[in-house]
Amino acid sequence: MVSVTEASTDPAAVLGVGPFSPTETEVGLYQLYITSILTLEERRSHSSSIFASVIAACVGAGGIADLQLVPLAVACLFMAWVWLRSLDYYADLARVKWRTALEIEANFPLRPFTVEYEKLKLEKQKRRRTAGLIARERMMPKSIILFSAGYLAFAIGQTAYLWYRSGSGV
């Protein structure tokens, strides 16, 4: 494998000219995969923005219109759960796409994503308990689920307590 510093000064290595030259089909497939990975990341980001906006709009509308909070909490809980499942799907799909791209890249004289991945693994080993991007992004819907479920538990408990105190539960 050609190192990144060698490849940057050797045009033949950058262009893939040499004994281990990738075929035109491999280069085209590799470009297609990288493009599809970038598109997937954009869709994931856009999807997360939409979920966050809709949940924020529901909470804002509930505050402005003085709506009942229990149905709002249920709606937020459901939307956050769907958001979390969506992130899981995008993460699984991205993982498969990157593995495939790295397999294609294995035939190239210059392997920028393989080098980047190896460097990232070394950095993660230096810093313990480093959460990845998807793990950090999953914190928002998890927090919304936690707060919504907590509020629902509180509301149910409060209703049960008031019902019991009123004499209806005796």
Side-chain angles (χ1 to χ4, degrees), residues 45-83:
S45 176
H46 185 69
S47 172
S48 288
S49 296
I50 289 171
F51 277 111
S53 297
V54 169
I55 290 171
C58 283
V59 171
I64 291 170
D66 197 27
L67 298 175
Q68 291 291 322
L69 294 181
V70 171
L72 250 141
V74 170
C76 288
L77 182 75
F78 176 73
M79 284 186 286
W81 179 80
V82 171
W83 182 7

Short mmCIF file of all heavy atoms in Angstrom, two decimals, residues 45-83:
data_model
loop_
_atom_site.label_atom_id
_atom_site.label_comp_id
_atom_site.label_asym_id
_atom_site.label_seq_id
_atom_site.Cartn_x
_atom_site.Cartn_y
_atom_site.Cartn_z
N SER A 45 -29.03 13.37 8.22
CA SER A 45 -28.99 14.68 8.85
C SER A 45 -30.31 15.44 8.62
O SER A 45 -30.86 16.03 9.55
CB SER A 45 -27.82 15.48 8.28
OG SER A 45 -27.79 16.77 8.79
N HIS A 46 -30.81 15.39 7.41
CA HIS A 46 -32.07 16.06 7.08
C HIS A 46 -33.22 15.43 7.86
O HIS A 46 -34.09 16.14 8.40
CB HIS A 46 -32.32 15.98 5.57
CG HIS A 46 -33.51 16.72 5.11
ND1 HIS A 46 -33.58 18.10 5.13
CD2 HIS A 46 -34.70 16.28 4.64
CE1 HIS A 46 -34.77 18.47 4.67
NE2 HIS A 46 -35.46 17.39 4.37
N SER A 47 -33.23 14.12 7.94
CA SER A 47 -34.27 13.41 8.68
C SER A 47 -34.26 13.81 10.16
O SER A 47 -35.31 14.07 10.75
CB SER A 47 -34.06 11.91 8.52
OG SER A 47 -34.92 11.18 9.34
N SER A 48 -33.08 13.88 10.74
CA SER A 48 -32.97 14.27 12.14
C SER A 48 -33.46 15.70 12.35
O SER A 48 -34.12 16.00 13.35
CB SER A 48 -31.52 14.14 12.63
OG SER A 48 -31.18 12.79 12.76
N SER A 49 -33.14 16.57 11.41
CA SER A 49 -33.61 17.96 11.51
C SER A 49 -35.13 18.03 11.47
O SER A 49 -35.74 18.80 12.21
CB SER A 49 -33.04 18.79 10.36
OG SER A 49 -31.65 18.87 10.45
N ILE A 50 -35.73 17.23 10.60
CA ILE A 50 -37.19 17.22 10.51
C ILE A 50 -37.81 16.70 11.80
O ILE A 50 -38.75 17.31 12.33
CB ILE A 50 -37.64 16.38 9.29
CG1 ILE A 50 -37.30 17.11 8.00
CG2 ILE A 50 -39.14 16.09 9.36
CD1 ILE A 50 -37.51 16.30 6.75
N PHE A 51 -37.30 15.59 12.32
CA PHE A 51 -37.84 15.05 13.57
C PHE A 51 -37.71 16.06 14.71
O PHE A 51 -38.66 16.29 15.46
CB PHE A 51 -37.14 13.74 13.96
CG PHE A 51 -37.69 12.52 13.28
CD1 PHE A 51 -36.93 11.85 12.34
CD2 PHE A 51 -38.96 12.04 13.58
CE1 PHE A 51 -37.43 10.73 11.70
CE2 PHE A 51 -39.46 10.92 12.95
CZ PHE A 51 -38.69 10.25 12.01
N ALA A 52 -36.54 16.68 14.84
CA ALA A 52 -36.34 17.66 15.91
C ALA A 52 -37.28 18.85 15.75
O ALA A 52 -37.85 19.34 16.73
CB ALA A 52 -34.88 18.12 15.92
N SER A 53 -37.47 19.30 14.52
CA SER A 53 -38.36 20.44 14.26
C SER A 53 -39.81 20.11 14.58
O SER A 53 -40.53 20.92 15.17
CB SER A 53 -38.25 20.88 12.80
OG SER A 53 -36.94 21.33 12.52
N VAL A 54 -40.26 18.93 14.17
CA VAL A 54 -41.65 18.53 14.43
C VAL A 54 -41.91 18.39 15.93
O VAL A 54 -42.93 18.85 16.44
CB VAL A 54 -42.00 17.24 13.66
CG1 VAL A 54 -43.34 16.67 14.11
CG2 VAL A 54 -42.01 17.49 12.16
N ILE A 55 -40.97 17.78 16.62
CA ILE A 55 -41.13 17.62 18.07
C ILE A 55 -41.13 18.98 18.75
O ILE A 55 -41.97 19.26 19.63
CB ILE A 55 -40.05 16.68 18.64
CG1 ILE A 55 -40.31 15.24 18.16
CG2 ILE A 55 -40.02 16.74 20.17
CD1 ILE A 55 -39.19 14.27 18.47
N ALA A 56 -40.22 19.87 18.35
CA ALA A 56 -40.18 21.21 18.93
C ALA A 56 -41.46 21.98 18.62
O ALA A 56 -41.99 22.69 19.48
CB ALA A 56 -38.97 21.97 18.40
N ALA A 57 -41.99 21.81 17.41
CA ALA A 57 -43.24 22.48 17.05
C ALA A 57 -44.40 21.96 17.90
O ALA A 57 -45.26 22.74 18.32
CB ALA A 57 -43.54 22.27 15.56
N CYS A 58 -44.44 20.66 18.15
CA CYS A 58 -45.50 20.09 18.99
C CYS A 58 -45.43 20.65 20.41
O CYS A 58 -46.45 21.04 20.98
CB CYS A 58 -45.38 18.57 19.05
SG CYS A 58 -45.97 17.75 17.57
N VAL A 59 -44.24 20.69 20.95
CA VAL A 59 -44.08 21.21 22.31
C VAL A 59 -44.43 22.70 22.34
O VAL A 59 -45.14 23.16 23.24
CB VAL A 59 -42.63 20.97 22.82
CG1 VAL A 59 -42.38 21.69 24.14
CG2 VAL A 59 -42.38 19.47 22.97
N GLY A 60 -43.98 23.45 21.34
CA GLY A 60 -44.30 24.87 21.28
C GLY A 60 -45.79 25.12 21.12
O GLY A 60 -46.36 25.99 21.78
N ALA A 61 -46.44 24.36 20.24
CA ALA A 61 -47.87 24.51 20.04
C ALA A 61 -48.64 24.16 21.31
O ALA A 61 -49.63 24.80 21.64
CB ALA A 61 -48.33 23.63 18.88
N GLY A 62 -48.15 23.16 22.01
CA GLY A 62 -48.80 22.77 23.26
C GLY A 62 -48.72 23.87 24.30
O GLY A 62 -49.67 24.12 25.04
N GLY A 63 -47.60 24.57 24.33
CA GLY A 63 -47.45 25.67 25.27
C GLY A 63 -48.28 26.88 24.89
O GLY A 63 -48.88 27.53 25.74
N ILE A 64 -48.34 27.17 23.62
CA ILE A 64 -49.09 28.34 23.14
C ILE A 64 -50.59 28.11 23.25
O ILE A 64 -51.35 28.96 23.71
CB ILE A 64 -48.71 28.69 21.69
CG1 ILE A 64 -47.27 29.20 21.65
CG2 ILE A 64 -49.67 29.70 21.08
CD1 ILE A 64 -46.70 29.34 20.25
N ALA A 65 -51.05 26.95 22.82
CA ALA A 65 -52.49 26.67 22.76
C ALA A 65 -53.03 26.10 24.07
O ALA A 65 -54.21 25.80 24.17
CB ALA A 65 -52.77 25.70 21.62
N ASP A 66 -52.16 25.94 25.07
CA ASP A 66 -52.56 25.39 26.36
C ASP A 66 -53.26 24.04 26.19
O ASP A 66 -54.35 23.80 26.69
CB ASP A 66 -53.46 26.38 27.11
CG ASP A 66 -53.55 26.03 28.59
OD1 ASP A 66 -52.60 25.42 29.11
OD2 ASP A 66 -54.58 26.35 29.20
N LEU A 67 -52.63 23.17 25.39
CA LEU A 67 -53.17 21.84 25.14
C LEU A 67 -52.89 20.92 26.30
O LEU A 67 -52.03 21.18 27.15
CB LEU A 67 -52.53 21.26 23.87
CG LEU A 67 -52.77 22.01 22.57
CD1 LEU A 67 -51.97 21.38 21.45
CD2 LEU A 67 -54.25 22.02 22.22
N GLN A 68 -53.59 19.81 26.32
CA GLN A 68 -53.33 18.78 27.32
C GLN A 68 -51.93 18.22 27.09
O GLN A 68 -51.57 17.90 25.96
CB GLN A 68 -54.37 17.66 27.23
CG GLN A 68 -55.75 18.07 27.66
CD GLN A 68 -55.80 18.32 29.16
OE1 GLN A 68 -55.18 17.61 29.94
NE2 GLN A 68 -56.54 19.34 29.55
N LEU A 69 -51.16 18.07 28.15
CA LEU A 69 -49.77 17.65 28.00
C LEU A 69 -49.63 16.14 27.80
O LEU A 69 -48.65 15.69 27.22
CB LEU A 69 -48.95 18.11 29.19
CG LEU A 69 -48.79 19.63 29.31
CD1 LEU A 69 -47.93 19.97 30.53
CD2 LEU A 69 -48.17 20.21 28.06
N VAL A 70 -50.57 15.36 28.28
CA VAL A 70 -50.45 13.90 28.15
C VAL A 70 -50.47 13.47 26.68
O VAL A 70 -49.58 12.74 26.24
CB VAL A 70 -51.53 13.17 28.99
CG1 VAL A 70 -51.55 11.68 28.67
CG2 VAL A 70 -51.28 13.40 30.47
N PRO A 71 -51.43 13.94 25.86
CA PRO A 71 -51.38 13.55 24.44
C PRO A 71 -50.12 14.07 23.75
O PRO A 71 -49.57 13.40 22.88
CB PRO A 71 -52.63 14.19 23.84
CG PRO A 71 -53.53 14.48 24.98
CD PRO A 71 -52.65 14.67 26.17
N LEU A 72 -49.68 15.25 24.15
CA LEU A 72 -48.45 15.79 23.58
C LEU A 72 -47.25 14.93 23.94
O LEU A 72 -46.38 14.68 23.10
CB LEU A 72 -48.22 17.21 24.10
CG LEU A 72 -48.43 18.26 23.04
CD1 LEU A 72 -49.12 19.46 23.62
CD2 LEU A 72 -47.10 18.64 22.48
N ALA A 73 -47.19 14.49 25.19
CA ALA A 73 -46.08 13.63 25.63
C ALA A 73 -46.10 12.30 24.89
O ALA A 73 -45.05 11.77 24.51
CB ALA A 73 -46.14 13.41 27.13
N VAL A 74 -47.32 11.76 24.66
CA VAL A 74 -47.44 10.51 23.91
C VAL A 74 -46.96 10.72 22.48
O VAL A 74 -46.21 9.89 21.93
CB VAL A 74 -48.90 9.98 23.94
CG1 VAL A 74 -49.09 8.83 22.98
CG2 VAL A 74 -49.28 9.57 25.35
N ALA A 75 -47.36 11.83 21.86
CA ALA A 75 -46.94 12.12 20.49
C ALA A 75 -45.42 12.28 20.41
O ALA A 75 -44.77 11.75 19.51
CB ALA A 75 -47.64 13.38 19.98
N CYS A 76 -44.84 13.01 21.36
CA CYS A 76 -43.38 13.20 21.37
C CYS A 76 -42.65 11.88 21.60
O CYS A 76 -41.63 11.61 20.97
CB CYS A 76 -42.98 14.23 22.43
SG CYS A 76 -43.45 15.92 22.00
N LEU A 77 -43.19 11.07 22.49
CA LEU A 77 -42.61 9.76 22.76
C LEU A 77 -42.60 8.91 21.49
O LEU A 77 -41.58 8.32 21.13
CB LEU A 77 -43.41 9.06 23.86
CG LEU A 77 -42.92 7.70 24.32
CD1 LEU A 77 -41.69 7.87 25.19
CD2 LEU A 77 -44.00 6.99 25.10
N PHE A 78 -43.71 8.88 20.79
CA PHE A 78 -43.82 8.10 19.56
C PHE A 78 -42.86 8.63 18.48
O PHE A 78 -42.14 7.87 17.84
CB PHE A 78 -45.26 8.10 19.05
CG PHE A 78 -45.41 7.39 17.73
CD1 PHE A 78 -45.33 6.01 17.66
CD2 PHE A 78 -45.59 8.10 16.56
CE1 PHE A 78 -45.45 5.34 16.45
CE2 PHE A 78 -45.70 7.45 15.34
CZ PHE A 78 -45.64 6.07 15.28
N MET A 79 -42.85 9.96 18.28
CA MET A 79 -41.98 10.53 17.25
C MET A 79 -40.50 10.30 17.57
O MET A 79 -39.70 10.02 16.68
CB MET A 79 -42.26 12.02 17.08
CG MET A 79 -43.55 12.29 16.32
SD MET A 79 -43.81 14.03 15.97
CE MET A 79 -44.28 14.64 17.57
N ALA A 80 -40.14 10.40 18.84
CA ALA A 80 -38.75 10.17 19.23
C ALA A 80 -38.37 8.70 19.02
O ALA A 80 -37.24 8.39 18.61
CB ALA A 80 -38.53 10.57 20.68
N TRP A 81 -39.31 7.79 19.28
CA TRP A 81 -39.05 6.37 19.06
C TRP A 81 -38.83 6.10 17.56
O TRP A 81 -37.90 5.37 17.18
CB TRP A 81 -40.21 5.53 19.60
CG TRP A 81 -40.01 4.07 19.39
CD1 TRP A 81 -39.24 3.22 20.13
CD2 TRP A 81 -40.58 3.28 18.34
NE1 TRP A 81 -39.31 1.95 19.61
CE2 TRP A 81 -40.12 1.96 18.51
CE3 TRP A 81 -41.44 3.56 17.28
CZ2 TRP A 81 -40.49 0.93 17.66
CZ3 TRP A 81 -41.80 2.53 16.44
CH2 TRP A 81 -41.33 1.24 16.63
N VAL A 82 -39.68 6.68 16.71
CA VAL A 82 -39.52 6.52 15.26
C VAL A 82 -38.19 7.13 14.81
O VAL A 82 -37.47 6.55 13.99
CB VAL A 82 -40.70 7.16 14.49
CG1 VAL A 82 -40.45 7.18 13.00
CG2 VAL A 82 -42.00 6.40 14.81
N TRP A 83 -37.83 8.27 15.37
CA TRP A 83 -36.55 8.93 15.06
C TRP A 83 -35.39 8.02 15.43
O TRP A 83 -34.44 7.83 14.65
CB TRP A 83 -36.49 10.24 15.82
CG TRP A 83 -35.29 11.10 15.61
CD1 TRP A 83 -34.27 10.93 14.72
CD2 TRP A 83 -34.99 12.30 16.32
NE1 TRP A 83 -33.36 11.96 14.82
CE2 TRP A 83 -33.79 12.81 15.80
CE3 TRP A 83 -35.63 13.00 17.33
CZ2 TRP A 83 -33.21 13.99 16.28
CZ3 TRP A 83 -35.06 14.17 17.80
CH2 TRP A 83 -33.87 14.65 17.27
#
